[in-house]
């Protein structure tokens, strides 16, 4: 398993857009067949869409040896945070990258007055759901349509 000894978590910059898009594409590719085409396209934005997200959200990247190995994004709105676009390269799963990204973005949300954070996920992402539940997220009971797939909202109180 790769080592996170030299892991750096930092805010993303415009020059990271292509690497973020690549990270998302590689992380979600194994699940493509379980997604509708429109849901997959929304989950895996291209480089130009990443540039838009960088202006709309707080985006973090996880870097090891100069390479982006993970990413996560969040918005903050009147005490409520929302996570989007969490991805870790397959070879880095289980190495602590996701936990570091999640902790860093939750700290950013707390610093922006958020008392609660939500995220949306889909059933094909069973390992991600298990990870979120381990990190004290629980289903809110809200399930919506995500381009023909159930989208399940999870919520966590931030202390």
């Amino acid at each position: 398993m790769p080592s996170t000894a030299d892991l750096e978590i930092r805010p993303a910059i415009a020059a990271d857009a292509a690497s973020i898009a690549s990270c998302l594409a590689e992380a979600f590719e194994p699940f493509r067949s379980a997604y509708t085409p429109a849901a997959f396209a929304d989950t895996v934005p291209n480089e130009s869409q990443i540039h838009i997200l960088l202006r709309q959200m707080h985006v973090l990247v996880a870097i090891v040896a100069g390479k982006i190995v993970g990413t996560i994004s969040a918005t903050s709105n009147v005490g409520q945070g929302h996570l989007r676009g969490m991805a870790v390269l397959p070879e880095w799963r289980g190495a602590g990258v996701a936990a570091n990204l999640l902790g860093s973005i939750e700290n950013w949300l707390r610093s922006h007055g958020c008392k609660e954070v939500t995220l949306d996920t889909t059933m094909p992402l069973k390992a991600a759901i298990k990870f979120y539940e381990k990190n004290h997220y629980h289903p809110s009971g809200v399930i919506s349509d995500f381009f023909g797939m159930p989208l399940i909202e999870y919520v966590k109180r931030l202390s």
Side-chain angles (χ1 to χ4, degrees), residues 86-99:
M86 182 166 191
V88 173
L89 293 177
E91 65 269 25
W92 285 91
R93 290 185 187 141
V97 174

Side-chain angles (χ1 to χ4, degrees), residues 19-123:
S19 294
I20 292 169
S22 177
C23 178
L24 286 161
E26 191 173 334
F28 284 96
E29 184 60 33
F31 306 99
R32 180 191 289 267
S33 65
Y35 275 65
T36 64
F40 191 80
D42 187 76
T43 301
V44 182
N46 63 34
E47 183 179 351
S48 64
Q49 292 166 320
I50 296 292
H51 281 288
I52 294 167
L53 289 175
L54 287 169
R55 291 190 297 273
Q56 297 173 339
M57 306 183 86
H58 184 66
V59 181
L60 296 178
V61 290
I63 299 172
V64 177
K67 180 181 180 182
I68 292 178
V69 299
T71 186
I72 193 169
S73 305
T75 57
S76 169
N77 187 16
V78 193
Q80 177 77 34
H82 183 73
L83 303 182
R84 177 173 160 80
M86 182 166 191
V88 173
L89 293 177
E91 65 269 25
W92 285 91
R93 290 185 187 141
V97 174
N100 277 282
L101 280 166
L102 186 62
S104 295
I105 204 79
E106 287 177 351
N107 286 338
W108 179 83
L109 288 166
R110 281 186 198 93
S111 76
H112 283 76
C114 292
K115 304 293 184 207
E116 186 176 76
V117 59
T118 60
L119 62 87
D120 298 312
T121 191
T122 60
M123 289 308 297

